[in-house]
Amino acid sequence: MATYRVYGSVKASAAATDWELLVETSDAVVATQLVHETEGTFWRRLTEDGHVILDRV
């Protein structure tokens, strides 16, 4: 089963070290919904098993 992680950054030009883990889940639907929310972050990123799926959403 895949592990999805949603990361967020408050910086407009986020470097690799600027991303903070927000959520880790095995539910792809939940992860996709959360990556499209904008509250408290400038950018969000979704990874699946360590591979970037959606970058800078």
Side-chain angles (χ1 to χ4, degrees):
M1 182 175 281
T3 300
Y4 300 93
R5 291 183 180 99
V6 177
Y7 295 89
S9 176
V10 295
K11 297 187 177 182
S13 297
T17 58
D18 294 328
W19 295 95
E20 295 181 33
L21 179 64
L22 302 175
V23 175
E24 183 173 322
T25 182
S26 60
D27 188 333
V29 174
V30 169
T32 303
Q33 289 173 335
L34 291 174
V35 81
H36 286 94
E37 292 181 5
T38 59
E39 186 175 334
T41 60
F42 191 88
W43 292 111
R44 293 212 176 177
R45 171 181 283 173
L46 175 63
T47 66
E48 178 183 0
D49 294 333
H51 301 285
V52 175
I53 303 300
L54 294 173
D55 191 23
R56 298 180 188 251
V57 177

